[in-house]
Amino acid sequence: MRNFENMFSELLEIDDAMDKYEWIMDYGDKALSLSQHLCNESTLVRGCTSALYLNKVGDQFLSHSESAIVKGLSSMICDYYNQADEASRQYFDLNTLNSIGLAPLLSMGRQNGVANLIRRLKELT
Amino acid sequence: MKNFENNFPFFARNSKINYLDNAATTQVLYTVPRDRYEFEIEHRANAHRSGHRLGTWVDTQYHAAKQSIATWLNVLEDQIVFNSGTTQGLNDSAEFITNRHERTVTYVGSDSHHSLFLPFYRLSKNGDHVLKTINTTTEGLLDLDWLEQELTTVDKNTKIIIAATTVSNVLGKINNLERIRSMAYEHNAVTVIDASQIVGKRPVDITGFDFVAFSWHKIYGPMGLGCLIVGLDWLRSEPVRPGGGSITHVSFDQVDWQMGAGRFESGTQNLSAIVTIPKLTEWIRQNEQEIAEHDVALARYVVSHCPGDMFEPVSFSDTGLISLLPKIGRVEDYAYMLDAKNIMVRTGKLCAEPLVSKYGSGLIRLSWACYTNKRDIEQAFNTLMEIYEKLRKHVQ
């Protein structure tokens, strides 16, 4: 199992914020995404500016958002969570995201949404 | 265009930031933090209650602030109520009116900010207070032809309220205040005007209205301070928030309220903000013509240079701001990446959800002030186009 920092070390090496966003959007494009028919009120994560959906499909957490950046970020979090052991999942929080230099990209408004995403992941576990 | 930027210390410390969120909050004039600091470390005391010289100094500044506003906006000092901002002013106005009139019908502009819409929406939950919406024309102006016709249908026992914004914080169009005033006069209607997007940008005649509200943080001033200009007919109204400072005499069975606006200013006022107003107002008055010319020139520039093939403007703005609907991608994605390029704009529902929802899930708003120049706008448009191209690859 890789930790979050190792898993996304490539992102850590990117200095320019725009390039970081580009990388995140690319990641979201390639990631498995929650099917449209599962995007509904019951899978909606509250508190995000853009609509973000999360659900467990089989043993995998999958997400979807119409925002390319939110989709990329949530896919990264789901992918990490899917391969993390129970202890790592328990300690996973906003600070974990900061460890790969995402903090400057996450304003308070966005942090609320991501915090709700993490909370929902833990609820669904 | 005159360069006002040197008068705003924010830009000396943040030279890389392209600040285009001025419809929400402008940066402060250099005098404001100085006067605030001086008050806090040298003159701090309460107004109206102290016999000592510190209190007298504050009283003097407080009245100087009101005098400067009165001269600038051509109203009486007694009509000016200091409060926390436009929202408080508009909520209080709704309460003043319903304390006097049991049955009302409010015509509120569909281009309104939530702060104007919500107080009257809440009232309308009571059956005696009806809420109706004034739609906008295709140009983005309030449909006053419709309103004129509609007012003739209201029964004589119902008080008409016209709640209108001078400039929508979404559309940037200047509504015809003169016509609203004459319609109100003809139908003996009460007028509530949200002037927060016009005061400080263009000379404006706010006389003859019942209530006019604006906030100082949108006109180069301090946060947490607003003004409600109260029409002469309302100066003897019962205060909606009585308390210390609003009275001349209190006994257990008799209260004498202050004459004029003082009766509406209970409790300790935001004095560290109020003391900044005389110099700020003086600066705006001195530069009023140039600020207005600058605003007109930028509005024309923005409308003519907007990359309309990628971003649809929801109106051809007259003043202060332009709201854009991107043809690709979510507005949040634009906000994240504009921020990465040090460009600060507002995105989303713009506190005007009923109107914005007509266009889509959100808008991107660029709003300027006297220190904004054409280069700032050009940079924002170029970056928006760059982001658009990036998002094209990621959005089906």
Side-chain angles (χ1 to χ4, degrees):
Chain A
M1 189 203 76
R2 291 180 297 165
N3 66 28
F4 198 79
E5 199 171 335
N6 291 339
M7 204 163 157
F8 302 110
S9 57
E10 203 180 319
L11 184 59
L12 191 60
E13 285 158 20
I14 300 171
D15 291 328
D16 183 72
M18 281 288 257
D19 293 341
K20 276 186 194 283
Y21 281 131
E22 185 88 58
W23 190 95
I24 291 167
M25 290 190 289
D26 281 340
Y27 191 94
D29 290 346
K30 291 171 200 155
L32 272 179
S33 167
L34 190 67
S35 302
Q36 286 283 357
H37 75 275
L38 292 174
C39 297
N40 53 46
E41 196 65 18
S42 67
T43 57
L44 182 69
V45 178
R46 306 275 167 197
C48 296
T49 317
S50 308
L52 168 64
Y53 302 92
L54 172 76
N55 206 2
K56 198 171 185 182
V57 180
D59 60 349
Q60 296 285 297
F61 291 101
L62 296 176
S63 65
H64 179 73
S65 175
E66 284 176 17
S67 155
I69 293 172
V70 173
K71 186 182 172 196
L73 272 173
S74 61
S75 298
M76 288 166 63
I77 293 168
C78 285
D79 284 355
Y80 169 74
Y81 215 77
N82 284 333
Q83 59 90 55
D85 59 27
E86 201 173 322
S88 304
R89 285 179 172 186
Q90 206 173 355
Y91 288 109
F92 186 70
D93 61 14
L94 276 176
N95 291 328
T96 319
L97 301 180
N98 297 346
S99 70
I100 58 162
L102 285 178
L105 304 184
L106 294 168
S107 72
M108 271 316 289
R110 284 169 251 166
Q111 282 188 22
N112 287 340
V114 175
N116 287 346
L117 170 68
I118 296 170
R119 194 172 302 124
R120 188 92 181 103
L121 276 168
K122 292 183 177 179
E123 283 168 8
L124 289 170
T125 301
Chain B
M1 289 194 286
K2 188 170 175 178
N3 181 10
F4 289 105
E5 194 177 299
N6 292 339
N7 293 287
F8 294 85
F10 174 87
F11 297 104
R13 294 196 179 200
N14 298 280
S15 58
K16 287 184 181 167
I17 287 188
N18 182 354
Y19 187 78
L20 293 173
D21 194 15
N22 294 285
T25 298
T26 60
Q27 299 302 330
V28 283
L29 184 72
Y30 69 97
T31 59
V32 172
R34 280 190 203 171
D35 285 348
R36 228 174 162 145
Y37 183 70
E38 283 300 311
F39 168 79
E40 296 291 6
I41 62 164
E42 201 164 330
H43 303 288
R44 188 177 161 97
N46 216 326
H48 306 314
R49 296 177 181 85
S50 316
H52 52 73
R53 62 179 179 272
L54 290 177
T56 306
W57 185 91
V58 178
D59 283 352
T60 307
Q61 290 302 110
Y62 176 89
H63 289 294
K66 286 208 172 175
Q67 277 169 356
S68 66
I69 298 165
T71 308
W72 177 34
L73 297 178
N74 192 27
V75 294
L76 299 175
E77 199 182 321
D78 248 352
Q79 291 180 267
I80 302 164
V81 179
F82 282 126
N83 56 25
S84 66
T86 303
T87 299
Q88 186 181 330
L90 296 174
N91 273 281
D92 285 359
S93 302
E95 203 165 332
F96 279 125
I97 298 166
T98 47
N99 283 349
R100 186 182 287 189
H101 300 287
E102 288 178 357
R103 287 187 65 198
T104 66
V105 54
T106 300
Y107 291 93
V108 64
S110 65
D111 60 349
S112 299
H113 190 280
H114 292 162
S115 60
L116 181 61
F117 176 74
L118 291 176
F120 295 99
Y121 171 82
R122 191 175 63 165
L123 282 180
S124 72
K125 297 296 107 183
N126 167 344
D128 291 327
H129 301 288
V130 175
L131 182 67
K132 293 190 175 184
T133 309
I134 314 166
N135 287 326
T136 52
T137 62
T138 48
E139 292 83 33
L141 291 161
L142 286 176
D143 188 348
L144 299 182
D145 289 340
W146 174 85
L147 181 63
E148 191 160 39
Q149 187 62 35
E150 176 70 15
L151 294 183
T152 60
T153 66
V154 180
D155 80 78
K156 295 271 182 282
N157 297 321
T158 302
K159 192 68 181 175
I160 297 168
I161 303 167
I162 303 174
T165 184
T166 49
V167 174
S168 157
N169 73 313
V170 177
L171 302 172
K173 301 294 289 181
I174 303 174
N175 284 314
N176 187 341
L177 281 191
E178 180 56 45
R179 192 165 169 207
I180 292 170
R181 184 168 29 223
S182 62
M183 262 192 254
Y185 184 76
E186 190 183 334
H187 293 275
N188 196 23
V190 181
T191 43
V192 180
I193 305 295
D194 174 358
S196 55
Q197 295 294 346
I198 192 85
V199 173
K201 285 196 185 82
R202 301 285 182 91
V204 58
D205 180 6
I206 59 165
T207 58
F209 294 108
D210 294 281
F211 301 98
V212 179
F214 64 90
S215 298
W216 286 95
H217 68 268
K218 293 186 197 290
I219 40 177
Y220 317 119
M223 292 275 191
L225 182 67
C227 281
L228 179 67
I229 311 298
V230 178
L232 298 173
D233 189 35
W234 295 86
L235 290 178
R236 299 286 178 92
S237 302
E238 287 281 305
V240 294
R241 50 182 88 239
S246 60
I247 45 77
T248 55
H249 166 77
V250 178
S251 67
F252 288 117
D253 49 15
Q254 171 74 35
V255 172
D256 296 330
W257 304 111
Q258 277 203 47
M259 302 298 283
R263 65 169 59 193
F264 309 128
E265 293 179 341
S266 57
T268 294
Q269 300 296 298
N270 187 354
L271 294 167
S272 67
I274 290 170
V275 298
T276 70
I277 298 306
K279 281 185 206 159
L280 171 60
T281 307
E282 180 60 23
W283 186 87
I284 295 173
R285 283 183 65 204
Q286 278 175 7
N287 294 287
E288 194 165 38
Q289 193 57 38
E290 281 169 310
I291 291 171
E293 286 167 9
H294 178 89
D295 180 45
V296 171
L298 271 188
R300 285 185 187 143
Y301 182 83
V302 164
V303 168
S304 60
H305 286 72
C306 175
D309 50 336
M310 300 178 184
F311 301 92
E312 191 180 338
V314 298
S315 67
F316 293 107
S317 172
D318 296 326
T319 177
L321 60 99
I322 189 162
S323 298
L324 306 171
L325 183 65
K327 294 186 177 173
I328 280 179
R330 305 286 295 188
V331 297
E332 295 80 16
D333 290 335
Y334 286 94
Y336 300 158
M337 288 188 269
L338 284 167
D339 177 86
K341 289 283 192 181
N342 294 314
I343 301 169
M344 310 293 150
V345 304
R346 182 58 57 107
T347 56
K349 304 278 199 262
L350 311 181
C351 293
E353 191 167 349
L355 177 64
V356 171
S357 297
K358 278 170 54 181
Y359 303 109
S361 60
L363 297 171
I364 303 167
R365 184 182 70 194
L366 280 61
S367 55
W368 55 89
C370 70
Y371 39 69
T372 310
N373 56 49
K374 288 179 179 173
R375 204 174 51 252
D376 298 327
I377 301 292
E378 191 183 352
Q379 188 204 4
F381 281 158
N382 287 339
T383 309
L384 278 169
M385 289 190 282
E386 188 189 328
I387 296 168
Y388 180 95
E389 290 301 335
K390 274 187 194 298
L391 285 172
R392 228 144 85 113
K393 290 185 279 176
H394 301 282
V395 180
Q396 285 94 20

